[in-house]
Amino acid sequence: MSYLEELKVKIENMFSPEKCYFPKENLLSFLVSNSEVRGALSYLKDVEGFKHFVMLSCVDWLEEGKFELVYIVWHPEKKVNAMVKTKIDREKAEFQSLHDMWRQICTYEREIWEMFGVNFIGHPRLEPFILEDWKDMPPMRRDFDTLHYVNEHYEWREGREESYKPRDYIGEAFDEWRKK
Amino acid sequence: MCTDNPGVWEYIANWARKHSIWVLAYGTGCGAIEMPPTMTSRYDAERFGLRGAATPRQADLLIISGYLATKTLKRVIRTYEQMYDPKYVLALGSCTINGGMYWDSYNTIKKLDLYIPVDVYVAGCMPRPEAIIEGIIALQKRIEEGRAEGAKKYRENIEWYKKNQREVFGDEMLPDYTWNFEGGI
Amino acid sequence: MSTGMRIVDIIAYPFIAFLIGMLYMGIARNIIGRIHRRWGPPVLQNLIDVFKLYRKREAGSHGVMFHLGPIIMVTGVVTCLYFIPMLSDGRWLKGFSFDGDLILVTYLMVLGALGMALGVGQGGVPFGVMGVTRGLTRLIGLEIPYFIAIIVLMAHYNTASINKIIELQAGGLSNWAMFKVPLAFIASLFSFWGMMGASPFDIPGAPQEVASGPATEFGGKYLALMMSSRGIFGFLKLTLWVDLFMGGAANLLILVGKTFVLFVTVLFVTSVYSRFKVEQAVDFMWRYPTIIGLIALVIEMVR
Amino acid sequence: MSKVVKIFHGPQHPGITGNMSVELDLIGETIVKARTHVGYLHRAFEKLVERRTAMQAFTIVCRICVPEPDPNEENFARAIEEITGLEVPERAKWIRVLVLELSRLAAYHLWMGGQAGSTGLYTVPQWSVGYRDYILDLFEELTGGRVYHMYIIPGGVRRDLPDGFLDRVSDVMDLIESKLPEFDRLFFDNAVFKKRAIGTAVIDPETAIERGVVGPPLRACGIASDVRRDDPYEIYDKLDFDVITEKGGDVYARALVRRREMEQSIKIIRQIIKYIPDGPYRTKIPYPMNWKLKAGETYVKTESARGEFGYYMVTDGSEYIRRMNVRGPAYVHGVSLLEDMLEGAQLADVAMIMNSLGTCPPEIER
């Protein structure tokens, strides 16, 4: 039994992961409840030795009305990744800030606050990161229509709309190329 | 001083301007990656009198290298207004012309000439160093003929430009810089 | 020499320095271009640049001192230039030399930098202020070995007149001060590289650190003035070193030849070294060149 | 002098790598507080990818990182392949590694120019950017583009190697290898550069792992961490190369790591030229205009010239990608780490530290 499989068993015993599986060979992914995130991450960091924090990502599941926060960590000795996920409510998007565990989470949380509107409680520096003077809804949310925004705020150069539709054109060109 | 009837001095000055273009070292977008090859030993743009200038006060040419995010556009306008007349703008890449592949991106502008006057556009993604040099030669031609008067255009149509800029920035407009006085104090 | 000729001579003085200085800067860009394995700009490029800058239509201002800064700089440089004889023989291009002019020249050379500092102070750009601070700090470093070398020279020839020093060096290569007091020459060469802004010491205008340093806020005519004075100042320093250590020059051709040789050493140094931090530069200057200079001084006193 | 001067270092400043700015509080020449400001290059790639099919998205991902676009293509292609289960032919894997290593060499040449330029040694950028053009010429022959290649597509590579291409690669490698000692003499052994770089911006090994440092800055602390060795992708497990480490963790150690890795890249490319197998160069992919991507998620990573470049990708069974999150090495190096490194440093070191950490703004903000 490999290290990750052992880890999976441990985690299933210790926490109550909803879905614990291997998306690929050296990556363990599991979904835990909101309250267990800090516990799971500190277990991985302090007990198992996943010292290197890779990234924090956020996925918008608009249909379910949830945001999914994804914490990815890396074990420098065992050379494996683990992925801790949790789902938070989309309407009242709030989560605890974990910036005290790894310093660089600060940056990720700041970006997710800006791009998805997730409020991280206890974050020391929730200030605009990438955007400036942004007044619309957080742009990475799936219900934000970027083309609509562009039509409202920018002017198109004439001639662009008359040209062929790239989508159709690529399809045709691809058909021809495939025949050869 | 701005003269409507170019005399002999203006003719010689245009010749000098043509052969001495100082480029502001501001890599605004991904086109900045082709600027080092243009300036260094393979393409050696210094042959044409191009030189990097560190600050806008000394520069003649502002190269907009590629797409402009709105946050950069604000800085570009500010930089452009700080430059001294005569000043030129060379825009690289399809994304400055009509948005290019970022046509549906909420954070990049689609038409640069709405916000600042552009003298020469160089199309492509990325434009090769040869294309950049060709663009500069086209600019030199315009300078020699005295047609590269972007600053004058900007001063004369300042309301129109400011209106367009306001559409992007909303209420967060920039303070005015040097465009509103002529020939120093 | 008639008064008319004398006036022509005096008027020609800065212009010759300007032209040769600008030409040297153009040639420098060419030689550096070759070291970079490319062609480089035309030789007259710097003259074209200066002309273009004079013809810029706008130039913003921040007040009276901002105007006066570059002007004081040019004035200081040109005044200083007049006390340095370009040619030793004949009646032409002798400048206003008198006994003890070496000391005056040493002080006048700092005037340009001070004028600049006054102008930049009013510009309100932090980079400019920072560049001036760096320039003055560097000056402290450069002056020490330079002063020591000058003192050695004055002690050796027992005079403080540049003309006398040139005369005493006459009569062949072995009489040149650079061979008579070689250690003093070496010490002074370091501060010469520093004064010329060659690369380990080009701190005040380091683009990666302080944009273009003191010149950050200056554009158009001001920058043209500054470039002109830099051209004149470069040639002034070259002439001074040729006068002091290389036996002066009898005619313009020899002057150009000797200054050019000295100038090329600057170029070679500048293209193979990184840039010091300001305290490293001062540290360096107070260490090696100063020690060499002090040894030269001791030898001179013992002799 | 204890007056605090506030300086906005950038975005228009010659000492800044790319288009970002650092807000510095200075006392004299010493920095007491630094804050980075990014977002000047934000193009919303992650949003645009959600609006494009996989085949349309692959053409724009390479624009995420300008100096070295290929790790992005590689990541994107491999993420799609892992999710949909596409098999990549053997030859395509070898060609991909060839492209990746060439682009690493090109990126290191550009870095060398930047690093030398940041200390005021202007001869090195002129030479190294000139030699980098030889590699760009190879790219142009292979892919049609100098900078952006759009060559590594899901399911293989876009086309096969041209006739005699490997011979030309070999020639260029000989040329570049013969020029490396020149750079040693001029730059890496330069007394002034050594004096400035040794002991500047030191990272110690524990904090390096803790703070998420990757790539050459981590290896300069003496930790042999390299995605090519730790989590081998494509054919890196079949190749013979060393993971370079240096002691010290300062700017100079990082420079030496990169310098020695250039030799390793050349070694890898020589092996590829020697052992590359024949065969097809790409597999058949489904009709790209309505290629329904199987629902799934993955995290893929590639070793770029600045360190681990990761993509987190989620698909939901439609033809569009649900979410693609890019984790560039500069995301950590260029924001929080840079702020900490700059505190207590000197104004003169800002450009040097930024370059040596491999700050690349376009991948911070995408």
Side-chain angles (χ1 to χ4, degrees), chain C residues 35 37 134 271-272 275, chain D residues 29 119 122-123 131 190 196:
Chain C
I35 295 171
R37 299 181 182 158
R134 286 167 160 221
S271 53
V272 293
R275 180 187 300 128
Chain D
E29 287 252 332
T119 59
Y122 299 117
T123 311
Y131 295 134
N190 189 314
R196 282 192 60 172

Side-chain angles (χ1 to χ4, degrees), chain D residues 68-223:
Chain D
E68 199 197 9
D70 297 284
N72 288 287
E73 301 175 10
E74 161 75 19
N75 265 336
F76 184 81
R78 203 138 45 80
I80 296 282
E81 282 151 15
E82 274 175 16
I83 285 175
T84 57
L86 273 180
E87 277 296 318
V88 185
E90 190 67 14
R91 185 176 170 82
K93 289 182 177 174
W94 286 76
I95 297 176
R96 280 181 180 188
V97 173
L98 175 71
V99 170
L100 286 173
E101 290 301 323
L102 281 175
S103 86
R104 186 191 316 278
L105 263 183
Y108 277 157
H109 271 88
L110 198 64
W111 160 81
M112 193 153 62
Q115 184 78 78
S118 72
T119 59
L121 182 55
Y122 299 117
T123 311
V124 174
Q126 298 275 348
W127 290 1
S128 70
V129 175
Y131 295 134
R132 171 174 169 268
D133 256 50
Y134 287 108
I135 303 172
L136 297 191
D137 282 355
L138 288 178
F139 277 135
E140 194 175 5
E141 185 186 349
L142 180 63
T143 68
R146 271 165 62 87
V147 178
Y148 297 137
H149 309 135
M150 295 161 275
Y151 181 66
I152 300 172
I153 62 170
V157 291
R158 199 148 45 87
R159 59 177 123 157
D160 208 350
L161 300 179
D163 291 336
F165 181 70
L166 291 175
D167 299 335
R168 287 188 282 283
V169 175
S170 180
D171 291 347
V172 171
M173 287 307 115
D174 290 344
L175 181 104
I176 284 176
E177 195 173 30
S178 69
K179 299 294 179 192
L180 284 180
E182 265 181 16
F183 288 114
D184 278 348
R185 282 201 300 278
L186 183 62
F187 178 45
F188 294 98
D189 294 340
N190 189 314
V192 180
F193 174 62
K194 268 187 177 171
K195 189 161 182 166
R196 282 192 60 172
I198 291 175
T200 307
V202 182
I203 312 176
D204 58 289
E206 289 81 42
T207 39
I209 291 187
E210 185 88 19
R211 298 295 300 274
V213 177
V214 288
L218 184 59
R219 292 195 284 275
C221 305
I223 297 165

